[in-house]
Amino acid sequence: MAQPQLKTNLLNQPLMLPNGFSIPNRLAKASTSETLATYSNNPTEKHVRLYQRWAASGIGMIISGNIMIDRRALGEAGNVVVEDERNFTILQKWAKSVTVQGSQLWAQLNHPGKQSTKGLNVRTISASAVPFGPEMQSLFATPDEATQTEIIDIIQRFGRSAAICKKAGFSGVEIHAAHGYLINQFLSPLHNLRNDEWGGTPEKRRRFLMEVYAEIRKQVGQEFPIAIKLNSADFQKGGFTEQDSLETIQALADAGIDLIEISGGTYESGVAKAPQKASTIAREAFFIDFAEKVRKLVKIPLMVTGGFRTVEGMNQALQSQACDVIGIARIMAIEPDVPKLLLAGKNGLQSVHPIKTGIKKVDSLGVMEVLWYTQQLKRMGKGREPKPHESGLWAFIKSILRSGWGTYATQRARAK
């Protein structure tokens, strides 16, 4: 395949955030599920090894996989948890493995809410006691409604986790408010049925997010970058809409957020899969049309993740000024050195494609978009090369076995 001929490769341009913080180029590795932690939720040398490999590619910034703020609230077995400084030395080593090479490492902070597999946590909470739909109820328990005391505790935990990451040498933090996790649950009128100060109107539904942002800002200061990952919409009837998202973005911009990453979907509707028009497909990025609406509203730097296939498509998105940072994720699981080619104006050697097991019920849920790629990250965490053509069925079988054992091992670790 002939390589493109670009007059100017905009991916190489640095980006200055409003607070004066500079990102060395416009390529970012978006967050991916890794589950490389111990079953006591401690980061390991596998994180160092994987992120060191990614940073060697020359990518401008790397956003970590989910870092949970509470050991009692895990999204998956093997999540990293930062709630105190017990793992401070390995956190420092993890951050330095990236920053010493000139890239940046931003910590994505999260609370799963009800989006946690059955048996993993002693208690599951959400904005309201709303169960998943019938297709997902076998995997996820109906949550309890969070109490006022629990809400305040979670807000404070977000701030404390951010402060520890800053102290350890991370370059910034990203609040995960997308993909059906707890903050997204508070934002959604489908999942938030409250009529107190945390629900009932769009303003009250986003209060939890705004309080989380304010607490993080209080604990890290004005000069430390804070980003947010936010859905353009949930793609669920009665859920968080584009209009809700635009109003939330305006509130965040007014509050001083430094970077907004646009995504979409939930576990139930399908993560990062926006309804596609022919014009959007031609432009590659899933959420570029929504990014253009955001750009008309605010001037905050925007990151768009999902759908990019070519260096030309990435440059067209930057040239249009619809976004400022190009997020790539799954390709980094099968071709970790691809930023070297993209920054040189060339396309990658591998391509992302749907992963199928041949089991219709499994494939309809879209879980392989997480499970298969996670397997590749685990290989790199062990110092091995990814397998771009690994069987989807075999990866699924390994993931199910590991998940069952992981839940059991997490329960045992918690009991000690």
Side-chain angles (χ1 to χ4, degrees), residues 16 31 77 81 89 127 146 166-167 236 312 325 346 396:
M16 185 74 72
S31 179
V81 174
T89 300
K166 176 186 176 182
K167 184 178 177 182
Q236 287 183 291
E312 299 103 319
V325 181
K346 300 177 182 179
F396 175 70

Side-chain angles (χ1 to χ4, degrees), residues 180-200:
Y181 291 110
L182 182 63
I183 296 178
N184 185 219
Q185 291 161 31
F186 267 88
L187 289 169
S188 169
L190 183 64
H191 300 284
N192 183 349
L193 306 181
R194 306 175 75 104
N195 287 304
D196 58 7
E197 63 265 47
W198 305 103

